[in-house]
Amino acid sequence: MPKLSGVLETALYVDDLDRARAFYEDVLGLVALTSDSRFLAFDVGGRSVLLLFRRGSTLEPVQLPGGTIPPHDGHGPIHAAFAVAADELPAWEKRLGEHRVAIEARTDWPRGGRSIYFRDPDRHLLELVTPGVWAIY
């Protein structure tokens, strides 16, 4: 059986790319890799890519010089979690507060990890999570 080596991309669908870009750059400090009128791609920790697609802009196939990207889309509040060091979680809580981003919930996990949950401008549920949540993290 061939093996998967990780999740490379996570996609969220947003109503306003400029508003989303401001949030993910200003609040979370992500750096854009590339963008066009339908999407933004952000580097997340040098290991994965967060894709933000303008909602409804990916309902038709996209023809590229090297092939085709099939249609996709998503609706409603989607969840994404970002790994953070345990000793940096308080600084993240402070940063979110400075940007007037409400922490919706906190969870202490049985393995010792901690999570905080908050929303982006499109109401997606974002999580900052420390090691000790999963057997693999």
Side-chain angles (χ1 to χ4, degrees):
M1 171 90 186
K3 294 184 180 189
L4 299 175
S5 60
V7 176
L8 178 62
E9 300 171 345
T10 298
L12 299 175
Y13 299 85
V14 302
D15 293 321
D16 183 325
L17 278 175
D18 291 333
R19 178 182 71 185
R21 180 181 208 133
F23 177 85
Y24 284 90
E25 287 181 344
D26 297 345
V27 177
L28 298 185
L30 298 182
V31 175
L33 297 169
T34 189
S35 66
D36 66 21
S37 63
R38 18 169 238 115
F39 85 104
L40 286 159
F42 287 106
D43 174 359
V44 181
R47 296 182 304 171
S48 62
V49 177
L50 175 64
L51 297 170
L52 301 180
F53 290 99
R54 189 172 38 80
R55 200 179 314 278
S57 70
T58 56
L59 295 173
E60 299 294 327
V62 174
Q63 300 297 324
L64 298 173
T68 302
I69 301 172
H72 55 89
D73 199 36
H75 296 281
I78 299 170
H79 170 64
F82 299 95
V84 300
D87 63 349
E88 290 187 352
L89 193 60
W92 275 110
E93 291 188 61
K94 181 180 179 196
R95 182 171 181 85
L96 292 172
E98 290 169 352
H99 287 274
R100 297 188 177 141
V101 175
I103 295 174
E104 189 170 317
R106 290 176 173 82
T107 301
D108 292 325
W109 297 98
R111 294 179 187 271
R114 295 183 62 215
S115 294
I116 58 173
Y117 297 89
F118 56 98
R119 303 277 175 175
D120 76 359
D122 288 274
R123 305 295 300 146
H124 296 303
L125 181 63
L126 304 180
E127 177 183 8
L128 299 181
V129 59
T130 69
V133 174
W134 299 103
I136 61 165
Y137 178 73

